[in-house]
PDB file of all heavy atoms in Angstrom:
ATOM      1  N   GLU A1143     -75.765  -2.113  61.044  1.00  0.00           N
ATOM      2  CA  GLU A1143     -74.862  -0.970  61.085  1.00  0.00           C
ATOM      3  C   GLU A1143     -74.431  -0.530  59.617  1.00  0.00           C
ATOM      4  O   GLU A1143     -74.346  -1.403  58.670  1.00  0.00           O
ATOM      5  CB  GLU A1143     -73.533  -1.279  61.750  1.00  0.00           C
ATOM      6  CG  GLU A1143     -73.763  -1.269  63.329  1.00  0.00           C
ATOM      7  CD  GLU A1143     -72.378  -1.247  63.980  1.00  0.00           C
ATOM      8  OE1 GLU A1143     -71.420  -1.471  63.263  1.00  0.00           O
ATOM      9  OE2 GLU A1143     -72.338  -1.194  65.275  1.00  0.00           O
ATOM     10  N   ILE A1144     -74.381   0.730  59.428  1.00  0.00           N
ATOM     11  CA  ILE A1144     -73.863   1.292  58.167  1.00  0.00           C
ATOM     12  C   ILE A1144     -72.635   1.979  58.531  1.00  0.00           C
ATOM     13  O   ILE A1144     -72.525   3.101  58.991  1.00  0.00           O
ATOM     14  CB  ILE A1144     -74.893   2.323  57.576  1.00  0.00           C
ATOM     15  CG1 ILE A1144     -76.357   1.784  57.521  1.00  0.00           C
ATOM     16  CG2 ILE A1144     -74.439   2.869  56.241  1.00  0.00           C
ATOM     17  CD1 ILE A1144     -77.376   2.798  57.179  1.00  0.00           C
ATOM     18  N   ALA A1145     -71.511   1.368  58.099  1.00  0.00           N
ATOM     19  CA  ALA A1145     -70.262   1.849  58.325  1.00  0.00           C
ATOM     20  C   ALA A1145     -69.965   2.361  59.820  1.00  0.00           C
ATOM     21  O   ALA A1145     -69.400   3.341  60.089  1.00  0.00           O
ATOM     22  CB  ALA A1145     -69.936   2.949  57.413  1.00  0.00           C
ATOM     23  N   GLY A1146     -70.556   1.606  60.703  1.00  0.00           N
ATOM     24  CA  GLY A1146     -70.365   1.924  62.073  1.00  0.00           C
ATOM     25  C   GLY A1146     -71.512   2.749  62.754  1.00  0.00           C
ATOM     26  O   GLY A1146     -71.600   2.794  63.899  1.00  0.00           O
ATOM     27  N   TYR A1147     -72.372   3.227  61.829  1.00  0.00           N
ATOM     28  CA  TYR A1147     -73.567   3.948  62.349  1.00  0.00           C
ATOM     29  C   TYR A1147     -74.736   2.969  62.413  1.00  0.00           C
ATOM     30  O   TYR A1147     -75.037   2.252  61.575  1.00  0.00           O
ATOM     31  CB  TYR A1147     -73.841   5.073  61.432  1.00  0.00           C
ATOM     32  CG  TYR A1147     -75.241   5.887  61.726  1.00  0.00           C
ATOM     33  CD1 TYR A1147     -75.094   6.921  62.586  1.00  0.00           C
ATOM     34  CD2 TYR A1147     -76.372   5.469  61.058  1.00  0.00           C
ATOM     35  CE1 TYR A1147     -76.312   7.670  62.801  1.00  0.00           C
ATOM     36  CE2 TYR A1147     -77.523   6.125  61.320  1.00  0.00           C
ATOM     37  CZ  TYR A1147     -77.470   7.286  62.293  1.00  0.00           C
ATOM     38  OH  TYR A1147     -78.681   7.891  62.469  1.00  0.00           O
ATOM     39  N   SER A1148     -75.439   3.195  63.540  1.00  0.00           N
ATOM     40  CA  SER A1148     -76.590   2.177  63.779  1.00  0.00           C
ATOM     41  C   SER A1148     -77.942   2.999  63.614  1.00  0.00           C
ATOM     42  O   SER A1148     -78.257   3.878  64.330  1.00  0.00           O
ATOM     43  CB  SER A1148     -76.591   1.728  65.281  1.00  0.00           C
ATOM     44  OG  SER A1148     -75.438   0.901  65.472  1.00  0.00           O
ATOM     45  N   PRO A1149     -78.506   2.667  62.450  1.00  0.00           N
ATOM     46  CA  PRO A1149     -79.879   3.445  62.304  1.00  0.00           C
ATOM     47  C   PRO A1149     -80.928   2.973  63.218  1.00  0.00           C
ATOM     48  O   PRO A1149     -80.946   1.922  63.696  1.00  0.00           O
ATOM     49  CB  PRO A1149     -80.173   2.970  60.716  1.00  0.00           C
ATOM     50  CG  PRO A1149     -79.558   1.695  60.447  1.00  0.00           C
ATOM     51  CD  PRO A1149     -78.326   1.783  61.415  1.00  0.00           C
ATOM     52  N   THR A1150     -82.006   3.829  63.244  1.00  0.00           N
ATOM     53  CA  THR A1150     -83.096   3.560  64.221  1.00  0.00           C
ATOM     54  C   THR A1150     -84.288   3.285  63.549  1.00  0.00           C
ATOM     55  O   THR A1150     -85.379   2.936  64.196  1.00  0.00           O
ATOM     56  CB  THR A1150     -83.213   4.699  65.344  1.00  0.00           C
ATOM     57  OG1 THR A1150     -83.479   5.820  64.660  1.00  0.00           O
ATOM     58  CG2 THR A1150     -81.955   4.788  66.164  1.00  0.00           C
ATOM     59  N   THR A1151     -84.320   3.476  62.272  1.00  0.00           N
ATOM     60  CA  THR A1151     -85.480   3.287  61.453  1.00  0.00           C
ATOM     61  C   THR A1151     -85.218   2.333  60.346  1.00  0.00           C
ATOM     62  O   THR A1151     -83.991   2.049  59.957  1.00  0.00           O
ATOM     63  CB  THR A1151     -86.092   4.656  60.943  1.00  0.00           C
ATOM     64  OG1 THR A1151     -85.212   5.073  59.857  1.00  0.00           O
ATOM     65  CG2 THR A1151     -86.283   5.497  62.021  1.00  0.00           C
ATOM     66  N   ASP A1152     -86.352   2.085  59.495  1.00  0.00           N
ATOM     67  CA  ASP A1152     -86.049   1.222  58.278  1.00  0.00           C
ATOM     68  C   ASP A1152     -86.025   1.969  57.078  1.00  0.00           C
ATOM     69  O   ASP A1152     -85.828   1.611  55.969  1.00  0.00           O
ATOM     70  CB  ASP A1152     -87.131   0.116  58.122  1.00  0.00           C
ATOM     71  CG  ASP A1152     -88.491   0.706  57.993  1.00  0.00           C
ATOM     72  OD1 ASP A1152     -88.619   2.004  57.968  1.00  0.00           O
ATOM     73  OD2 ASP A1152     -89.466  -0.100  57.839  1.00  0.00           O
ATOM     74  N   ALA A1153     -85.958   3.357  57.319  1.00  0.00           N
ATOM     75  CA  ALA A1153     -85.815   4.270  56.084  1.00  0.00           C
ATOM     76  C   ALA A1153     -84.523   4.082  55.304  1.00  0.00           C
ATOM     77  O   ALA A1153     -84.476   4.166  54.139  1.00  0.00           O
ATOM     78  CB  ALA A1153     -86.080   5.678  56.424  1.00  0.00           C
ATOM     79  N   SER A1154     -83.535   3.755  56.145  1.00  0.00           N
ATOM     80  CA  SER A1154     -82.250   3.636  55.479  1.00  0.00           C
ATOM     81  C   SER A1154     -82.179   2.380  54.579  1.00  0.00           C
ATOM     82  O   SER A1154     -81.430   2.266  53.695  1.00  0.00           O
ATOM     83  CB  SER A1154     -81.141   3.450  56.505  1.00  0.00           C
ATOM     84  OG  SER A1154     -81.392   2.335  57.463  1.00  0.00           O
ATOM     85  N   LEU A1155     -82.950   1.411  54.845  1.00  0.00           N
ATOM     86  CA  LEU A1155     -82.964   0.192  54.035  1.00  0.00           C
ATOM     87  C   LEU A1155     -83.355   0.444  52.620  1.00  0.00           C
ATOM     88  O   LEU A1155     -82.637  -0.130  51.613  1.00  0.00           O
ATOM     89  CB  LEU A1155     -83.953  -0.937  54.516  1.00  0.00           C
ATOM     90  CG  LEU A1155     -83.593  -1.627  55.915  1.00  0.00           C
ATOM     91  CD1 LEU A1155     -84.667  -2.469  56.363  1.00  0.00           C
ATOM     92  CD2 LEU A1155     -82.177  -2.224  55.772  1.00  0.00           C
ATOM     93  N   GLN A1156     -84.313   1.278  52.320  1.00  0.00           N
ATOM     94  CA  GLN A1156     -84.561   1.642  50.948  1.00  0.00           C
ATOM     95  C   GLN A1156     -83.435   2.465  50.355  1.00  0.00           C
ATOM     96  O   GLN A1156     -83.023   2.304  49.273  1.00  0.00           O
ATOM     97  CB  GLN A1156     -85.899   2.459  50.947  1.00  0.00           C
ATOM     98  CG  GLN A1156     -87.112   1.606  51.192  1.00  0.00           C
ATOM     99  CD  GLN A1156     -87.429   0.567  49.996  1.00  0.00           C
ATOM    100  OE1 GLN A1156     -86.698  -0.525  49.824  1.00  0.00           O
ATOM    101  NE2 GLN A1156     -88.178   0.862  49.085  1.00  0.00           N
TER     102      GLN A1156
END
Side-chain angles (χ1 to χ4, degrees):
E1143 284 193 352
I1144 307 173
Y1147 173 90
S1148 298
T1150 58
T1151 69
D1152 61 0
S1154 62
L1155 289 178
Q1156 285 292 84

